[in-house]
Amino acid sequence: MSWNMSLLPTDVLRSLPELPSPIEHHIEPAPLPQHALVLDVRSYAEFMSGHVDGARCLPLPRLLEDIVHVAPDPDHPIVLYCASGARAEQALGLLRRMGYHQCFNGGTPADLAGKMGRAVRQGM
């Protein structure tokens, strides 16, 4: 983060509070709900190359139009993932603005599979 900090004037840098060490203040993330709908927001080709077992593919460009068909209940938990977690974070913001408040960014397929105890499968 030093590259961002170097852009700030030195008087602003001095006024910023010290950040706690991540080791001293480690917080475990909440476990993901096992009964959640798992959505892969990558392309169909990426989904076919390897996806979390039980996941459904709903590419980010189709999310706004198709989410009501895939997840009609906005109170049901949804776990999103993609290649790096970035598209999942975008999808998370979109869904929250649409009233889906039990959404979680699961990160990458490998990360999410490990967290949920599922396999990564190729094909359908």
Side-chain angles (χ1 to χ4, degrees), residues 3 6 8-10 16 21 45 56 64-65 69 87 99 107 112:
W3 65 271
S6 67
L8 295 173
T10 54
L16 294 174
S21 166
R56 294 194 57 181
L64 290 176
E65 297 166 17
H69 305 294
R87 284 177 280 182
L112 183 57

Side-chain angles (χ1 to χ4, degrees), residues 38-110:
V38 179
L39 289 181
D40 185 327
V41 296
R42 301 176 298 162
S43 70
Y44 295 114
E46 289 174 294
F47 178 82
M48 295 295 283
S49 71
H51 60 275
V52 175
D53 195 27
R56 294 194 57 181
C57 185
L58 183 55
L60 184 58
R62 301 283 321 151
L63 185 72
L64 290 176
E65 297 166 17
D66 293 343
I67 190 63
V68 295
H69 305 294
V70 176
D73 180 6
D75 293 323
H76 189 79
I78 300 172
V79 177
L80 306 151
Y81 73 93
C82 66
S84 69
R87 284 177 280 182
E89 193 64 29
Q90 289 177 323
L92 184 70
L94 291 171
L95 290 178
R96 286 191 175 154
R97 281 184 261 159
M98 292 178 69
Y100 291 83
H101 296 293
Q102 290 199 57
C103 300
F104 306 89
N105 184 341
T108 68

Side-chain angles (χ1 to χ4, degrees), residues 14 19 60:
R14 285 188 213 115
L19 294 175
L60 184 58

